[in-house]
Amino acid sequence: MNRLLQTNPPPAQRCLDLTAQHTDSRAVVRHAFASTLATALLWGPQRILLYHDVYVPLLSEKHPAAFMAPAPQVWAEIWPQVSPFVERAFAGEAFALAGQRFVIARNEPIEDAWFSL
């Protein structure tokens, strides 16, 4: 698992159930964090944002406060655009978007950015 999850304070980790009884959950997190691509997971009904070190440059000034914070709060400026896709994924639908434009506030000033999801 990555350095961010390993060093997060135990009270914050309570929202994640990564105990031995939940080996599927542990496998998902391990697999995502082993990726060399910028990877984030949204966890649970609050859509808690988990990410690995490669994702940090995408967040820029939002890091480290974004780690284990609700994604709707972290990405408030794009949440109306992103949330329908998040809900589709949580409903079990597989999909991909290429070259999606977002107007994000990760640095000053607000900037256009393109991502594939």
Side-chain angles (χ1 to χ4, degrees):
M1 218 163 286
N2 81 346
R3 165 179 60 82
L4 293 171
L5 191 57
Q6 290 172 344
T7 60
N8 208 267
Q13 286 186 5
R14 286 189 210 131
C15 74
L16 302 175
D17 195 350
L18 299 177
T19 61
Q21 305 97 295
H22 294 85
T23 55
D24 291 344
S25 300
R26 292 169 59 102
V28 167
V29 172
R30 259 196 313 274
H31 179 72
F33 286 179
S35 176
T36 57
L37 301 174
T39 304
L41 298 173
L42 302 185
W43 199 272
Q46 292 182 310
R47 310 304 190 237
I48 300 299
L49 181 62
L50 301 173
Y51 52 88
H52 65 344
D53 302 327
V54 183
Y55 190 82
V56 171
L58 298 179
L59 290 161
S60 190
E61 295 173 0
K62 293 177 181 274
H63 175 75
F67 190 70
M68 295 188 79
Q73 171 187 320
V74 173
W75 292 112
E77 70 276 17
I78 62 169
W79 195 250
Q81 184 180 0
V82 172
S83 65
F85 301 113
V86 170
E87 297 313 313
R88 286 170 57 187
F90 268 83
E93 182 181 342
F95 64 91
L97 300 172
Q100 185 72 32
R101 179 181 172 262
F102 297 99
V103 179
I104 60 175
R106 61 180 173 180
N107 298 303
E108 293 297 328
I110 292 175
E111 61 184 301
D112 288 338
W114 285 261
F115 297 99
S116 294
L117 308 173

